[in-house]
Amino acid sequence: MRTSRSLATLVAVAMCALMLFLGYLNKARCAGPPFDLFGRSMRFDEVKDATVCYSDIQQLWLGRGINLHQFPFVDGGITTAGNLTGGTVEYPVLGGVLMWVGALFAETDADFLLHTALLLAPFGLLTAWILGRVAGWHALWWSATPPLVLYAFLNWDLPVVAVTVAAIAIVGIERWPLRTRGVIAAALLAIGFGLKLYPGLFVLPLIAYVFTRGATSGGPTEQNRSRDTRGALAVAGTAVATVVAMNLPFAILGFEGWRASFTFQQNREADATSNSIWYWGLRPLMGGYQGHDVTSEYNDVVALASPALMLTAFAVAMWLGWRRYLRDGTYPWLPVAAAILCGFLLLHKVHSPQYTLWLLPLLVLLKIPWQLIATYLLADLSIGIGIFLWFDSTAGNSDPALPLTLVHIGVWGRALLLIVLFFVFLNSSERRASERHTHHGGRTVTVDEHTPHMRTEERTGT
């Protein structure tokens, strides 16, 4: 088993390296001479949508102080029109620092793209390595599928994925005390929150997992249901303290610039760039199909309905996880975290294409039918390509019929699959590379080489 796991990990890392290289080559088609006075590739606006080589990295070279090498947030702010100024970016503080580091020695957007790719790529490889160690050959769903080519360098998502996967892996190290694992994982998830917000959502089920004393064997006995309130508080306190420690220096040195990033996201509309069910579902009901602008009434509804429904989905996931704990004796923290992410992706006002990178490791780490994964990747491919072709068609450069079809397949295909995955995740179990399987009396007995107990699963399980 160890040899097989090592080989799977090696292949996963090697394939990830290849896909990251192809991903950079894809985005680099938009970058290069001639450049204008600001270091912007002059062909960028001409080809970014039609050839599907757009990246936020190249786009944000201008307009956020990145080309001027301004340290993020300290001298920034936001105008009454909603435009960020003075080095403030629309991402949490560590994301802003990553952008600044990538631009330190860059003079053009092509330099910035290359340097950022070199900065981000190790995080993609680290993710592949962890997934290979934990999930064996299933890690190829991460390393050998289209999302890495399409999205690895579309935005700054690889670091947050790596930190989140590392936190999940640490929780699974059963030879460490549960509180220790919980506190370290909480710190990592909080660091992820400083890159993109979604890892902060995973702290909620992690608290419940530590509170219920983690994985147990023998069913939901009274002993297994004992509570660890101090451990749960330690996990919550660590997450909060880490977030405060990251944000406080920026809030002190440049409060207006720091606050502006939150204001920007709060005011962001679910417009044509959002790829959300709100734009493609609710907007036509409130404003018709004529044009692509959104109305103030529509924005007001989304501003209330989106967070309300997300919080409802989170609560349902936590509650269903608690019911499973009462039945089985273990709170399914990772399945609940995955379901919470599905609720976020489905109901948030923005569903950027690269968010697939957030979901993909959970499809690897949890036992999900391969057919469901493949179908989701097809829907994602449809929106990942179709949305940029549609942007090109709205500029009058091409016929919108095919791009619009691809967008609808992607938006509604993903939406339906996220609803399905919400419940599939909640009934799933974690995948381990160290497991070997034997069969007894029509049932599959799973032996974990790192723990002395055995688990039984139905032969028809995934």
Side-chain angles (χ1 to χ4, degrees), residues 130-185:
I130 296 173
L131 292 176
R133 297 290 295 176
V134 174
W137 292 102
H138 298 280
L140 292 178
W141 284 114
W142 165 263
S143 298
T145 51
L148 274 185
V149 175
L150 292 173
Y151 313 132
F153 307 120
L154 176 60
N155 200 278
W156 289 264
D157 291 87
L158 291 180
V160 67
V161 173
V163 170
T164 304
V165 170
I168 294 169
I170 285 173
V171 175
I173 303 177
E174 296 179 354
R175 63 181 179 273
W176 292 4
L178 178 58
R179 281 192 192 179
T180 301
R181 289 181 275 149
V183 166
I184 295 173

Side-chain angles (χ1 to χ4, degrees), residues 211-212 227 317-326 331:
F211 178 64
T212 55
R227 311 290 192 247
M318 293 289 290
W319 174 66
L320 291 176
W322 190 261
R323 289 187 59 185
R324 181 171 165 182
Y325 157 68
L326 294 177
Y331 189 84

Side-chain angles (χ1 to χ4, degrees), residues 18-31 52-53 113 117 149 153:
L18 175 61
M19 300 300 268
L20 290 173
F21 179 65
L22 294 177
Y24 169 73
L25 292 181
N26 178 45
K27 300 305 181 186
R29 291 182 298 123
C30 273
V52 194
C53 62
L113 177 64
V149 175
F153 307 120

Side-chain angles (χ1 to χ4, degrees), residues 4 123 142:
S4 176
F123 293 99
W142 165 263

Side-chain angles (χ1 to χ4, degrees), residues 251-264:
I252 292 174
L253 294 174
F255 180 77
E256 292 302 324
W258 171 78
R259 187 179 63 173
S261 64
F262 297 98
T263 303
F264 180 91

Side-chain angles (χ1 to χ4, degrees), residues 378-451:
L378 286 174
D380 176 74
L381 187 64
S382 183
I383 186 70
I385 294 175
I387 190 64
F388 294 107
L389 297 180
W390 181 70
F391 288 154
D392 184 63
S393 70
T394 59
N397 298 326
S398 60
D399 186 339
L402 177 60
L404 193 58
T405 300
L406 291 174
V407 168
H408 279 289
I409 291 173
V411 169
W412 299 113
R414 285 189 315 186
L416 176 61
L417 290 165
L418 285 170
I419 295 172
V420 173
L421 281 169
F422 181 90
F423 295 101
V424 171
F425 275 136
L426 286 170
N427 289 284
S428 67
S429 58
E430 296 183 35
R431 196 187 302 278
R432 303 182 182 210
S434 59
E435 293 173 347
R436 56 185 175 83
H437 305 279
T438 58
H439 302 289
H440 293 275
R443 298 177 69 85
T444 299
V445 177
T446 303
V447 182
D448 191 328
E449 296 180 347
H450 296 309
T451 55

